[in-house]
Amino acid sequence: FVGDTPPELGRKCIVLDECCFHKCVNRELFSKERTLHFKPPVGECVIFTYIIRDKLKNPLPFRMSVECSDVESKEVHLTLKLKCNIPNNKRCSLINLAIPFPYDLSSVSSNDKTTTTTLSCKRLIHWQVPYMDGGQEKHVVFKIKPLGEWPDHPTSNIGPISVLFESQSYTCSDIHIKRLKVTESRQNYMPYKWARSVTHGDNYIFRV
């Protein structure tokens, strides 16, 4: 349910603090039946967004710890540990971490040959991981060299680290599409008989 309206006694529910619908959604029908009835526009669009401030049903997809060493031989070593915190039978893919620095860098390398590390715009490190299964951990050490002299505190003001990823059939809120029905006036139209649920991590941030 949404807002302060209590659910029916004994009924399991998910509490949404806020929600927003696309203008093509019939909001009155959603209030009565919890059904999203809409006539989609041309192209891709976001039908329904929501915010949950209370405890989530499922854990967040990732946990991260970051350590920075002191300057040695004109290098800083940034150690990053990333754990995929979803169930073992699930997987996160297309994982891309963006690590911003407050000063220009000349080069960056890592000890993990199964992933890709790149430097863009002189101040942004990208770490790309093809996929991680639930419960899996990645441990990587970045060797970073500056463009010029090191600042007084080279490891300060790093971050925040943003993470982009995809995960099929997994949501932290436990909200899923139960059934999808396509109504089309054309008699020869044959819709696909399945729906794929994919979670996109578009605004997932770690503070360092």
Side-chain angles (χ1 to χ4, degrees):
F1 70 98
V2 183
D4 299 326
T5 305
E8 297 177 8
L9 185 63
R11 181 182 177 185
K12 293 183 179 180
C13 67
I14 298 174
V15 180
L16 305 182
D17 293 283
E18 297 178 25
C19 64
C20 182
F21 301 94
H22 191 276
K23 61 182 180 181
C24 68
V25 176
N26 187 329
R27 300 187 183 185
E28 184 178 351
L29 192 60
F30 179 81
S31 299
K32 294 179 179 179
E33 302 178 6
R34 290 298 184 261
T35 300
L36 289 171
H37 185 274
F38 59 93
K39 184 177 181 180
V42 177
E44 184 175 328
C45 68
V46 177
I47 297 297
F48 175 50
T49 60
Y50 57 89
I51 295 176
I52 298 177
R53 297 189 178 94
D54 203 355
K55 184 178 180 181
L56 295 170
K57 297 288 184 180
N58 297 321
L60 294 174
F62 293 103
R63 288 184 180 178
M64 180 188 297
S65 62
V66 180
E67 295 180 3
C68 295
S69 69
D70 296 331
V71 180
E72 295 181 1
S73 303
K74 296 184 178 181
E75 279 188 352
V76 161
H77 289 186
L78 179 69
T79 303
L80 189 149
K81 295 179 182 179
L82 184 67
K83 181 177 180 179
C84 189
N85 208 33
I86 65 177
N88 295 339
N89 61 341
K90 304 294 183 181
R91 169 178 288 187
C92 288
S93 58
L94 304 177
I95 305 167
N96 188 342
L97 280 74
I99 311 170
F101 276 72
Y103 45 83
D104 292 343
L105 306 176
S106 64
S107 65
V108 59
S109 61
S110 73
N111 64 335
D112 190 347
K113 304 303 180 183
T114 64
T115 61
T116 304
T117 303
T118 57
L119 178 64
S120 64
C121 304
K122 296 183 180 180
R123 293 192 176 192
L124 191 63
I125 296 175
H126 286 280
W127 185 40
Q128 297 174 327
V129 183
Y131 66 88
M132 290 181 68
D133 294 323
Q136 185 180 1
E137 290 188 12
K138 282 284 186 181
H139 178 201
V140 64
V141 178
F142 299 104
K143 296 180 180 179
I144 305 165
K145 294 183 179 180
L147 188 63
E149 297 294 329
W150 282 113
D152 294 335
H153 303 284
T155 59
S156 63
N157 300 322
I158 297 175
I161 300 175
S162 61
V163 186
L164 299 177
F165 65 93
E166 287 187 4
S167 181
Q168 294 190 22
S169 304
Y170 179 82
T171 61
C172 298
S173 64
D174 208 27
I175 293 178
H176 295 277
I177 298 173
K178 184 178 181 180
R179 183 173 63 253
L180 178 64
K181 182 179 180 181
V182 179
T183 303
E184 176 59 52
S185 58
R186 294 174 299 173
Q187 295 182 356
N188 60 346
Y189 179 75
M190 296 294 294
Y192 290 106
K193 295 183 179 181
W194 55 272
R196 186 166 65 105
S197 175
V198 179
T199 295
H200 292 271
D202 293 330
N203 194 21
Y204 200 85
I205 293 177
F206 287 95
R207 301 288 178 182
V208 180

